[in-house]
Amino acid sequence: MRRWFLVIGLLGMIGEVSLAQAEEVSDTPTGRRLENPEGRSLENYSQQPAQPLHDAIKQQQRRPSVAVDLKQALKPFDSPESDSMLPEVQGQQVTITDIRQRALQNNLQVRVARMDPELARQSLREEQAKFDQVIFAYAKYAEKDTPAMAGDKVIIKSDNPLLDGELAKLNTDAQKKEFWDVEAGIKIPLRTGGTVTLSAPLENRQSLGKFASDQYRSALRFSFSQPLLRNAGRDVNEASIRIAELDRDGVQLRTRLQTIRIVAMVDKAYWELYEAWAALDVRKNQFEYASQNLAMVKRRVQEGLTAAIEINRAEIGVADRMEALIIAETNLKLAHRQLQFLLNDLPDQQEKQSPWVPTSPPNLVKFEFDRAHLIRDALDSRIELLDQELKLSADLIQIDYLQNQTLPLFTLDYQYGALSGSGERFSDIGTDLFDGRYRDWSLGLKFEMPVSNEARKAKLDRAIAQRMQRLTTKTLQTLTVKREIHDALDKIDQNWQRIIAARQQVLVAGINYEAELKQFNEGLRTMTEVLETLTRLGEAQLKEIRAISDYQVSLVDVAYATGTVLGYGQISLQ
């Protein structure tokens, strides 16, 4: 009786251990870095205060160069935070903040990626359930109606001298038997790799006929099986759970990365739409200037001040600018459609939809970034590198598991059963069950090992080779991140200088155009020369627009390369 109390107490302790769940998130340096919301802002990495564009142009004006009208040069950029180069047109006004929000809500790629963490969580639940206790039950009923049959010859061994040594033959008489068996129990998988089973069988044997009998028996059985080498220990048996946890964290990282990519793509598409609107305005102005020149030439021809050939030259200029205007309108439609595609807002009939007009002004300030600080933080927070570290951690767990699998299978098996006496009534079930009068038990060892063990060794070698490959890949990714940061910062510097140079080029081209037009009115220039200067003015304006757009895109590239897109866009994914 005391023995069974000890067994039942042991089972209670084992049950509590097996029901304990694995940690929700492993407390590792990589796991703690996963909680980084990526809310860092690029401005925090500037070594000097941000320099607005008009201050940069003032510094540029102090250098010996072409003299320009500084007041006119600064006019569109007196307040870079609020002024815009776009014309005032009718349409749906959108800010870059609105576009980001709509992208996070409507983009189909983001929606698909958001399902992956849920799938990973369910996979983790599936692995954690491997230690669930199993309740089982068994029931069987059978009948046997056998005829009389000749039996075997036997020699009787008896204390009775009259029977001892006598030859006899045992024949089986015709008889009918009925019996049923019932068994219920619980099977408990242990995190150490073993298994505990507790069951209670019950049976009935009934014989009908001349020597009828009806007997009931019961028992209480306990069995314990524990591997000692292969599959032994918590680390081995919980390896799949820890790998599933790392996979879940990796999926969350990749989901965040997909969101960041979409935000970066939407930002770039927004500035492409901004550039398309500004380019269209330039092309419209070019067409209007050419049309005004044509009207002026026709008037001067009628007055006899200009040769008639100038009309043809002016008409060619109008036709050229009409073509450029058509192309600019098409580019605007394409940029508009690309942004709508990213926002999952692509109507069937776009003609009936009002166009989107960007209202957020470009960020025309220059930063002196601390490259070393940016690279150091980027290497610590780039999602691709964090994801690779999670995979390397999973590889270590897998290697430890496969090393254990190369060991022999050496298992300890123990069984104990407390038996009751047989009774003729159902109420006799359990008689003498706990007093230890009737019992059976066994203790055994099992050994198993492949002759060559090559299959398990090959799996281990493959896992080691895969980890070495990932280490090389991480080194390559680290170099790639450094290169991307340097490239993006150089592009920022380049595009900033392009903006300043293009601003001066626009002013000089405008002055040159006015001078050429004045000389045409005085008969010193042909219309072809006037149109050439007008073309150069338009190209200079387009260069300025592209430089401003490219500068905004380069800021997005720096934010992506340094892992600060969410902070740059002031986005929280919590």
Side-chain angles (χ1 to χ4, degrees):
M1 188 73 176
R2 186 180 307 156
R3 182 185 301 109
W4 279 103
F5 284 148
L6 291 175
V7 171
I8 293 173
L10 176 63
L11 286 176
M13 296 174 62
I14 294 173
E16 292 179 0
V17 173
S18 62
L19 288 176
Q21 297 294 330
E23 295 179 356
E24 182 66 19
V25 177
S26 56
D27 187 13
T28 61
T30 303
R32 290 189 292 270
R33 283 159 61 190
L34 294 178
E35 300 177 358
N36 183 1
E38 221 186 49
R40 294 172 289 119
S41 177
L42 280 177
E43 288 80 356
N44 298 334
Y45 292 93
S46 181
Q47 295 177 313
Q48 301 293 334
Q51 183 184 36
L53 180 61
H54 59 272
D55 291 343
I57 294 179
K58 287 180 180 179
Q59 292 182 1
Q60 188 74 15
Q61 290 296 324
R62 298 192 186 104
R63 302 176 184 176
S65 59
V66 180
V68 296
D69 187 352
L70 181 59
K71 184 177 180 181
Q72 185 178 359
L74 299 179
K75 184 177 180 181
F77 305 103
D78 285 337
S79 180
E81 295 78 9
S82 60
D83 290 343
S84 175
M85 297 180 66
L86 299 187
E88 295 183 1
V89 295
Q90 297 296 327
Q92 181 181 353
Q93 296 186 349
V94 292
T95 65
I96 194 168
T97 303
D98 297 334
I99 293 299
R100 290 167 180 161
Q101 182 178 2
R102 293 171 65 175
L104 295 177
Q105 293 176 349
N106 302 331
N107 184 269
L108 294 180
Q109 296 182 25
V110 174
R111 289 185 180 181
V112 172
R114 284 176 179 172
M115 296 301 299
D116 292 336
E118 179 63 25
L119 297 176
R121 281 192 291 268
Q122 299 307 321
S123 298
L124 177 59
R125 282 184 57 198
E126 181 180 351
E127 289 297 329
Q128 290 173 335
K130 64 187 296 185
F131 296 110
D132 279 358
Q133 301 176 1
V134 179
I135 298 176
F136 63 89
Y138 167 82
K140 178 181 177 182
Y141 173 81
E143 290 185 1
K144 289 186 178 180
D145 194 353
T146 58
M149 296 183 64
D152 298 331
K153 294 179 181 180
V154 297
I155 297 177
I156 299 177
K157 183 70 175 178
S158 176
D159 293 336
N160 190 339
L162 298 178
L163 297 177
D164 188 39
E166 293 293 330
L167 181 65
K169 186 175 183 180
L170 300 178
N171 294 332
T172 303
D173 192 15
Q175 57 184 320
K176 182 177 181 181
K177 294 182 179 180
E178 296 180 358
F179 58 90
W180 52 264
D181 294 328
V182 177
E183 184 177 7
I186 183 172
K187 184 176 181 181
I188 306 173
L190 305 179
R191 292 182 180 269
T192 59
T195 304
V196 172
T197 304
L198 179 64
S199 63
L202 173 65
E203 63 179 17
N204 171 253
R205 298 289 185 269
Q206 185 176 7
S207 178
L208 305 178
K210 185 175 182 180
F211 299 99
S213 65
D214 191 5
Q215 292 182 322
Y216 293 90
R217 288 197 309 170
S218 63
L220 187 61
R221 296 190 178 276
F222 167 80
S223 65
F224 172 73
S225 178
Q226 174 62 50
L228 302 179
L229 292 177
R230 188 198 305 169
N231 297 327
R234 290 176 62 97
D235 291 341
V236 174
N237 291 277
E238 294 179 353
S240 60
I241 297 178
R242 298 203 304 275
I243 291 176
E245 288 177 344
L246 294 174
D247 289 342
R248 176 202 58 191
D249 295 340
V251 167
Q252 291 176 348
L253 278 179
R254 290 188 288 273
T255 301
R256 185 189 298 179
L257 178 60
Q258 181 64 21
T259 302
I260 290 172
R261 285 174 176 167
I262 294 301
V263 170
M265 292 173 59
V266 167
D267 278 14
K268 292 181 180 181
Y270 182 88
W271 293 118
E272 288 177 0
L273 180 62
Y274 182 95
E275 178 183 345
W277 271 111
L280 178 62
D281 183 55
V282 171
R283 294 304 184 186
K284 286 183 177 179
N285 290 335
Q286 286 275 305
F287 179 76
E288 291 175 359
Y289 292 154
S291 299
Q292 292 173 3
N293 291 339
L294 176 59
M296 178 191 65
V297 169
K298 289 182 178 179
R299 185 174 62 254
R300 288 178 61 85
V301 170
Q302 291 178 356
E303 295 175 355
L305 301 176
T306 304
I309 190 62
E310 298 295 344
I311 296 179
N312 294 335
R313 293 170 178 170
E315 289 177 346
I316 292 175
V318 172
D320 290 340
R321 282 147 187 80
M322 173 61 73
E323 179 188 12
L325 179 60
I326 294 173
I327 295 175
E329 290 177 346
T330 303
N331 290 337
L332 175 61
K333 293 178 181 179
L334 296 178
H336 187 201
R337 192 173 299 117
Q338 174 64 17
L339 186 57
Q340 289 178 320
F341 172 77
L342 293 175
L343 302 185
N344 191 26
D345 188 13
L346 200 61
D348 295 333
Q349 297 180 351
Q350 292 190 332
E351 295 79 7
K352 298 182 180 180
Q353 186 186 40
S354 59
W356 292 355
V357 181
T359 58
S360 296
N363 186 17
L364 296 177
V365 290
K366 188 179 186 302
F367 303 100
E368 294 292 340
F369 292 113
D370 186 347
R371 296 197 176 206
H373 192 187
L374 272 175
I375 292 176
R376 185 171 59 253
D377 285 358
L379 294 179
D380 191 57
S381 61
R382 270 289 289 263
I383 291 182
E384 297 91 334
L385 298 180
L386 289 177
D387 186 35
Q388 200 68 19
E389 289 186 14
L390 291 177
K391 291 178 180 178
L392 288 172
S393 300
D395 288 342
L396 276 180
I397 298 174
Q398 183 71 7
I399 289 173
D400 292 340
Y401 171 78
L402 293 177
Q403 282 180 334
N404 176 267
Q405 294 301 297
T406 60
L407 299 176
L409 181 62
F410 193 57
T411 307
L412 171 66
D413 294 321
Y414 173 75
Q415 293 183 353
Y416 182 86
L419 309 178
S420 70
S422 60
E424 296 182 353
R425 296 184 303 274
F426 185 80
S427 59
D428 296 334
I429 294 177
T431 303
D432 304 327
L433 183 61
F434 295 104
D435 59 6
R437 182 178 180 184
Y438 305 106
R439 65 184 183 275
D440 62 7
W441 66 275
S442 65
L443 179 65
L445 295 173
K446 178 182 177 182
F447 178 83
E448 178 183 308
M449 183 175 182
V451 176
S452 65
N453 208 20
E454 286 299 320
R456 299 179 186 275
K457 291 180 180 178
K459 290 182 180 179
L460 175 60
D461 292 341
R462 183 176 62 183
I464 294 175
Q466 184 178 12
R467 176 171 169 77
M468 297 302 297
Q469 183 186 47
R470 290 195 197 280
L471 287 173
T472 306
T473 302
K474 183 184 177 183
T475 303
L476 176 61
Q477 287 181 333
T478 301
L479 293 176
T480 302
V481 168
K482 292 180 179 179
R483 189 204 66 187
E484 289 178 353
I485 294 175
H486 285 299
D487 291 350
L489 292 177
D490 289 341
K491 285 291 186 66
I492 280 187
D493 294 338
Q494 167 194 286
N495 293 330
W496 180 258
Q497 298 300 327
R498 285 176 56 200
I499 292 175
I500 297 176
R503 179 93 286 258
Q504 292 190 354
Q505 187 177 359
V506 168
L507 295 174
V508 174
I511 295 173
N512 191 25
Y513 171 70
E514 293 179 356
E516 292 289 338
L517 187 61
K518 183 181 295 185
Q519 289 189 343
F520 172 80
N521 293 329
E522 295 175 358
L524 301 177
R525 291 290 187 270
T526 64
M527 180 52 62
T528 301
E529 294 172 318
V530 173
L531 292 175
E532 287 178 356
T533 57
L534 179 61
T535 300
R536 284 195 292 269
L537 173 60
E539 294 301 324
Q541 291 173 329
L542 292 177
K543 285 182 180 180
E544 182 182 18
I545 293 169
R546 282 192 292 266
I548 292 175
S549 176
D550 291 344
Y551 183 73
Q552 305 309 307
V553 171
S554 60
L555 286 175
V556 176
D557 289 338
V558 168
Y560 184 86
T562 55
T564 58
V565 171
L566 300 183
Y568 171 76
Q570 298 180 350
I571 299 172
S572 175
L573 298 181
Q574 301 299 324

